[in-house]
Amino acid sequence: TPRVFSGIKPSGGLTLGNYLGAIKRFVDWQEAGTHETIYCVVDLHAITVWQDPAELHAATREVAAGFIASGIDPTKSVLFNQSQVAAHAQLAWIFNCVARVGWMNRMTQFKDKAGSNAEKASLGLYAYPALMAADILVYHATHVPVGEDQKQHVELTRDIAQKFNHDYKVDFFPETEPVIEGPATRVMNLRDGTKKMSKSGESDMERINMTDDADTIAKKFKKAKTDPEPLPETLEGLEGRPEAKNLVDIYAGLSGMTDEQVIAEYSGAGWGRFKPALADLAVEKLAPISTEMARLMADPAEIDRILAHGAEQARVIANPILKRTYEIVGLVGS
Ligand code: TYM
């Protein structure tokens, strides 16, 4: 069976962006049953920027709890944290030797994250996309559901696979495609519709955290930035209105409707009507998840057990692919 792989960094808690852009799609793939689904809490990616060890530990469990609470079923999907499966880091080294410095220089996320002082960024942050390629290709995964911001990295994965196959004259690593689907592939900051919603934004009011309670969710949507115009009557009317478009996208993502359907339902509505409806919908969808996350996090040993079991399953798939890679490369002892 073909495989789906995706991952989320435990660098802080989960946001509504992670949920709508990624986790919800992961559940869809799991339920479709057409692919083997492998989902990973990518702790080795998190430490490319400084993480307090105790916080990393807690965040790894929180992301795992978020997966499970959202519907990832460890009996249907393989769920584990990256560092428990050594093959990721091992294949990443090989890919560090395949990928070119010039390719890494084109990665926009490195430029964003390193900021104006790239000299001071960790070497790991620079090599990050090669580890990501290893995450995917160590399972020979072909489909990678992600939000829009990860598109360039998944495309680089394809370049690395092609160069490996070409250099060693093999047809070993498959072509990988990013799967960027749904109405909310790029959820924006609630205070500035031109910036992505992220775990690390300055103000908590910019984002919805998956652990926010009902009052906080309602307050954040109420205070979300909008323009003075009511909702348009057609989809085209959202053009040039990033904040309005974002709230419509979020409503669509949470409800399972399309943007068109949301516009049809709220055509001409003022924000005084739309925002409370959006807040109610968000609370209805997210509150059960955050309750379940809290329940799961109260028993960390159980989460650790699930991750250890997933890691065992992951190794069974990854180790033979790594072994074959070592043979192809010509490493003695494999
Ligand atoms: P990360 O941890 O930043 O985000 C995890 C997933 O959430 C999506 N996402 C969003 N989607 C829509 N709107 C947003 N505002 C938003 N913010 C985040 C991301 O696109 C991503 O799908 N490098 C990856 C993790 C990774 C990975 C992989 C992904 C490591 N190895 C292999 C796929 C396959 C990252 O930092 O995602």
Side-chain angles (χ1 to χ4, degrees):
T1 34
R3 296 193 185 107
V4 163
F5 179 94
S6 200
I8 297 191
K9 279 186 312 239
S11 49
L14 293 165
T15 68
L16 183 62
N18 297 132
Y19 178 66
L20 294 177
I23 302 177
K24 214 165 177 285
R25 304 272 86 80
F26 300 172
V27 176
D28 292 343
W29 277 105
Q30 171 188 278
E31 294 310 309
T34 53
H35 289 62
E36 191 172 359
T37 45
I38 307 175
Y39 299 124
C40 189
V41 186
V42 288
D43 46 9
L44 297 176
H45 275 97
I47 60 168
T48 55
V49 299
W50 168 253
Q51 302 294 326
D52 173 80
E55 282 170 21
L56 176 64
H57 215 269
T60 301
R61 287 171 175 157
E62 185 183 323
V63 173
F67 274 118
I68 300 166
S70 304
I72 298 300
D73 177 345
T75 69
K76 294 184 186 166
S77 294
V78 176
L79 175 63
F80 67 105
N81 59 306
Q82 188 182 28
S83 59
Q84 291 204 61
V85 180
H88 289 241
Q90 292 170 301
L91 185 60
W93 180 258
I94 309 271
F95 286 172
N96 279 342
C97 302
V98 171
R100 303 290 95 182
V101 168
W103 299 0
M104 298 300 166
N105 286 341
R106 285 195 287 276
M107 295 295 115
T108 56
Q109 191 161 328
F110 176 76
K111 289 179 202 163
D112 291 347
K113 289 208 172 174
S116 54
N117 202 351
E119 292 274 315
K120 289 271 165 70
S122 76
L123 192 51
L125 187 67
Y126 191 59
Y128 181 115
L131 176 57
M132 190 163 153
D135 297 337
I136 298 165
L137 292 172
V138 86
Y139 302 99
H140 277 190
T142 51
H143 292 75
V144 184
V146 283
E148 225 166 81
D149 61 330
Q150 294 300 319
K151 184 167 187 264
Q152 196 184 30
H153 290 159
V154 183
E155 286 169 353
L156 186 82
T157 299
R158 184 153 43 185
D159 295 338
I160 291 177
Q162 272 174 6
K163 182 161 164 56
F164 181 96
N165 289 346
H166 176 266
D167 288 354
Y168 291 102
K169 300 185 179 51
V170 288
D171 183 15
F172 186 59
F173 288 115
E175 283 220 344
T176 306
E177 59 174 280
V179 186
I180 300 169
E181 277 174 351
T185 56
R186 189 172 173 81
V187 176
M188 306 309 275
N189 179 321
L190 296 180
R191 309 293 285 180
D192 178 351
T194 65
K195 289 195 193 136
K196 195 183 69 169
M197 182 183 289
S198 81
K199 308 171 214 200
S200 54
E202 294 141 42
S203 155
D204 198 56
M205 293 300 287
E206 295 173 0
R207 62 181 163 267
I208 305 287
N209 305 300
M210 283 183 71
T211 48
D212 283 346
D213 61 30
D215 287 348
T216 308
I217 292 174
K219 185 177 80 193
K220 286 177 177 177
F221 278 122
K222 201 170 138 217
K223 299 224 157 158
K225 186 180 168 199
T226 47
D227 55 34
E229 303 299 315
L231 266 81
E233 283 163 21
T234 63
L235 206 52
E236 292 72 48
L238 286 175
E239 274 166 34
R241 300 179 62 189
E243 285 87 10
K245 167 101 171 55
N246 189 41
L247 295 184
V248 169
D249 286 346
I250 292 173
Y251 193 102
L254 286 168
S255 62
M257 292 159 77
T258 61
D259 279 7
E260 283 94 332
Q261 288 168 325
V262 178
I263 293 291
E265 190 167 324
Y266 288 96
S267 168
W271 295 108
R273 189 176 143 224
F274 186 73
K275 281 180 166 183
L278 175 57
D280 285 349
L281 173 66
V283 168
E284 180 197 319
K285 298 290 177 181
L286 299 177
I289 298 177
S290 71
T291 306
E292 180 61 6
M293 280 176 76
R295 194 189 67 78
L296 291 162
M297 285 189 289
D299 185 0
E302 174 63 6
I303 297 179
D304 293 358
R305 201 194 53 74
I306 291 170
L307 293 175
H309 177 67
E312 252 169 62
Q313 296 174 298
R315 280 184 220 113
V316 170
I317 306 169
N319 286 347
I321 293 176
L322 180 73
K323 184 171 191 297
R324 182 71 195 115
T325 310
Y326 275 24
E327 285 166 7
I328 291 169
V329 172
L331 301 172
V332 170
S334 20

